[in-house]
Amino acid sequence: MARIGFVGLGNMGAPMARNLIKAGHEVSAFDLAPGAIDGVPGARRAASAADAAQGAEVVVTMLPASQHVRDAWLGAGGMMAAAGPGALLIDCSTIDVTAARDVAAASGGRDFLDAPVSGGVMGAEAGTLTFMVGGSDAAFARAKPVLEAMGRTIVHCGGPGAGQAAKLCNNMMLAATMAVTCEAFVLAEKLGLSHQALFDVTSKSSAQSWALTTYCPVPGPVPGSPANRDYKPGFSAALMTKDLGLAQQSAKDAGVATPFGAHALDLYRRFLEAGGGTKDFSGVIEMIREGKA
Ligand code: NAD
């Protein structure tokens, strides 16, 4: 079992750290929000991100966005300086490919992986996340047993940044799928078809998707979905909008037209402007129902 420094104990990080402890690892944890550590019983309360990294065999970050990751790893008094020469460094946040490659390049020859996840808060709690990993074969082999304590599917996608590339493609598909799933439920309402009937058919037919069967955007058919708790995240619309922006930037850089991804970004930007940023991304159904999409 390893000594693990864990930084970022939000909706995802806290349950992931809990699963590491459950697997027998010794976790030293830090979050800028002072109360966040209470969500990880059994963790040592580190005084800073650098303190969590110091003396750790494995260092994991689960932070909101690229700038947070750059600051935490590379900023003054950052974790890169604090982590030991043989430490394995893993960033699980969803960030842009360039930032992932920059932080990896600054790791001073240490094993550094970008390892963003899919599966949402429920997957983080159940330890069933999918990890998409970018980095060397050797680093991946070291990380696999640690990631297996938090996830079920661990995929080595390629070199530095490849995990983030997979994640951006995944979330662009997810956002467009969720948007059209919401449209279908609203259309069904207008056509006099019950939510349950639409769910019973589509969850067992060719329209089946994770957006439908795990994050069903209407209350009822999937009792654990955010729709049953007034769209409390879950996966916030603000984070989804961030990911869609990263996907569009990457598509532009690569010279690839992704009109459905662009339309999804436009939809979620308008949802944020209307005050939906702190809601789960499935909450966009309310805007669609109001005819404002
Ligand atoms: P969150 O906002 O709930 O948690 C982020 C945490 O990081 C917060 O507690 C914040 O206080 C902390 N933090 C920010 N800067 C810090 C710093 N410098 N040092 C220490 N702590 C710091 O976000 P989340 O939902 O847990 O998501 C984390 C990442 O995982 C994001 O990149 C997101 O896109 C990705 N993700 C989220 C989900 C989901 O369903 N929520 C699913 C897959 C991937």
Side-chain angles (χ1 to χ4, degrees):
M1 290 301 124
R3 282 194 311 281
I4 299 179
F6 200 108
V7 175
L9 307 170
N11 290 322
M12 296 293 288
M16 289 166 70
R18 285 200 296 273
N19 281 329
L20 289 173
I21 292 171
K22 207 187 288 174
H25 296 293
E26 194 183 304
V27 173
S28 175
F30 177 74
D31 192 291
L32 283 179
I37 186 83
D38 299 338
V40 192
R44 182 182 84 87
R45 186 183 290 258
S48 64
D51 182 34
Q54 209 147 23
E57 294 160 276
V58 183
V59 184
V60 182
T61 44
M62 191 50 165
L63 299 168
S66 303
Q67 198 55 50
H68 305 86
V69 173
R70 285 184 186 275
D71 290 350
W73 283 103
L74 308 178
M79 299 165 65
M80 205 61 95
L88 167 64
L89 315 176
I90 308 173
D91 177 44
C92 295
S93 326
T94 302
I95 64 172
D96 69 84
V97 175
T98 304
R101 289 185 177 147
D102 287 352
V103 179
S107 63
R110 281 169 291 192
D111 284 337
F112 190 99
L113 295 170
D114 50 292
V117 304
S118 172
V121 173
M122 286 180 261
E125 282 168 356
T128 57
L129 292 170
T130 295
F131 282 88
M132 307 152 222
V133 187
S136 71
D137 290 344
F140 179 74
R142 279 181 78 189
K144 203 158 177 263
V146 177
L147 301 180
E148 278 167 349
M150 302 181 280
R152 183 187 286 157
T153 306
I154 323 288
V155 183
H156 190 195
C157 298
Q164 297 297 349
K167 175 66 184 172
L168 299 184
C169 291
N170 181 83
N171 276 22
M172 189 174 79
M173 289 164 71
L174 170 62
T177 307
M178 177 58 86
V180 79
T181 302
C182 292
E183 287 180 1
F185 273 102
V186 171
L187 176 61
E189 289 166 7
K190 301 290 180 212
L191 297 178
L193 180 65
S194 75
H195 291 160
Q196 192 64 50
L198 180 62
F199 180 85
D200 288 346
V201 171
T202 52
S203 63
K204 294 281 183 286
S205 75
S206 46
Q208 191 274 338
S209 71
W210 187 92
L212 177 70
T213 58
T214 303
Y215 264 46
C216 184
V218 294
V222 179
S225 82
N228 297 279
R229 45 176 201 269
D230 198 24
Y231 301 101
K232 181 175 175 293
F235 184 45
S236 73
L239 285 177
M240 177 53 98
T241 309
K242 174 201 72 164
D243 293 355
L244 286 167
L246 295 177
Q248 284 307 296
Q249 186 58 50
S250 297
K252 195 169 157 214
D253 294 347
V256 177
T258 51
F260 283 94
H263 188 69
L265 174 59
D266 176 58
L267 176 70
Y268 276 99
R269 276 192 178 143
R270 283 185 289 112
F271 187 46
L272 260 57
E273 281 164 20
T278 57
K279 294 195 170 187
D280 186 79
F281 81 115
S282 58
V284 76
I285 193 171
E286 293 180 329
M287 200 171 90
I288 292 169
R289 192 179 279 124
E290 289 163 14
K292 293 181 182 157

